[in-house]
Amino acid sequence: IDPDRVLLIGLSAGASGAMHFASGHADELACVVPLIAIGTDLDLPNFRNLPVAIHHGDRDWVSSICNVRVQYRKMQDLGVPVTSKEYPGAGHGIPAPHDAITEWMLSQKRNPAPRTITHECESPNRGRAYWLHIREFVDPHRRASVKASLDVVRRAASIRTVNVAAFTVDMDILSGAGHEVATLSVNGTEFPCSRTSGLIAYRFDGEAWGTVPVERVLKTNGR
């Protein structure tokens, strides 16, 4: 199976389930298609690099289109590659034919190493995002988030964290996508990157960030 061509689609409650799964596993998917539902409690920033195609009837009596419209606008504001199609007069179903939906899905391909990443989670078990993985929280009772970007000209990576005590960067993914990283800054502190393979671990000791052996941060625990 081509790992860059995994497509996710769901119908009704399955659409909400697909969106919940995708919000924690966006880096595994090429796209997600929620049909006639979308869910409410979603980590919307995590869809930054995942195409989402929403389809919904404007007379749905089971799953309100109002919620879909609100979530759609939120994703637009976050820069998510999202589209939304409303079907006038349709209830809790999508009228045939469905060829256009299938064709769109089959045209999608995952980007395994985006230049910009946004990710938030409530547990380190859901902390993986493409080439970066949140491993520890400062406060386990608060959500954690990261914003990371690559400057391919300067060969530099910049990472900003909130409530993150440790994370790893996967150099195999970056080098496999042709991205060379010579320096990496964490909340303004810059570190040289001489390695081009394996994981590099960064940890906050309460005062400053530093690199640590990977084995110290590989164990991820939920609450």
Side-chain angles (χ1 to χ4, degrees):
I1 297 174
D2 184 348
D4 294 333
R5 300 295 304 283
V6 179
L7 319 172
L8 181 61
I9 187 169
L11 176 71
S12 189
S16 296
M19 291 294 287
H20 278 279
F21 178 85
S23 69
H25 301 269
D27 57 351
E28 299 178 31
L29 303 170
C31 68
V32 57
V33 180
L35 302 178
I36 57 175
I38 193 171
T40 54
D41 186 19
L42 301 170
D43 297 322
L44 295 179
N46 301 358
F47 290 89
R48 174 68 180 270
N49 297 291
L50 180 63
V52 180
I54 300 168
H55 295 265
H56 207 99
D58 69 355
R59 292 294 181 267
D60 193 330
W61 62 90
V62 176
S63 178
S64 172
I65 196 171
C66 297
N67 171 61
V68 170
R69 289 169 175 167
V70 169
Q71 296 288 64
Y72 172 60
R73 286 195 295 269
K74 288 181 179 178
M75 285 190 278
Q76 282 186 309
D77 292 342
L78 291 168
V80 173
V82 59
T83 60
S84 180
K85 182 174 181 179
E86 297 184 8
Y87 295 80
H92 198 61
I94 302 300
H98 303 138
D99 295 355
I101 298 176
T102 303
E103 290 173 5
W104 180 85
M105 291 183 69
L106 294 176
S107 70
Q108 302 304 309
K109 187 174 182 179
R110 177 184 71 129
N111 178 3
R115 295 183 183 180
T116 302
I117 293 174
T118 59
H119 189 78
E120 65 178 42
C121 57
E122 63 178 14
S123 167
N125 291 326
R126 294 173 66 89
R128 190 187 68 238
Y130 301 95
W131 45 269
L132 187 146
H133 193 149
I134 299 171
R135 300 287 183 173
E136 296 178 20
F137 287 14
V138 175
D139 181 350
H141 303 292
R142 292 172 49 221
R143 299 178 71 81
S145 65
V146 293
K147 292 184 178 180
S149 61
L150 295 173
D151 186 327
V152 295
V153 176
R154 295 178 54 243
R155 296 190 303 152
S158 176
I159 298 172
R160 291 285 177 179
T161 70
V162 175
N163 196 39
V164 176
F167 66 89
T168 54
V169 172
D170 194 325
M171 301 303 291
D172 289 336
I173 294 178
L174 290 175
S175 60
H179 298 315
E180 296 183 13
V181 178
T183 60
L184 186 148
S185 67
V186 184
N187 296 338
T189 301
E190 191 170 284
F191 299 91
C193 287
S194 58
R195 293 175 52 188
T196 58
S197 63
L199 297 178
I200 301 179
Y202 298 85
R203 199 171 195 283
F204 185 66
D205 64 6
E207 296 183 0
W209 282 92
T211 56
V212 296
V214 173
E215 293 74 18
R216 287 187 56 187
V217 302
L218 281 186
K219 184 179 181 181
T220 59
N221 294 313
R223 290 194 293 275

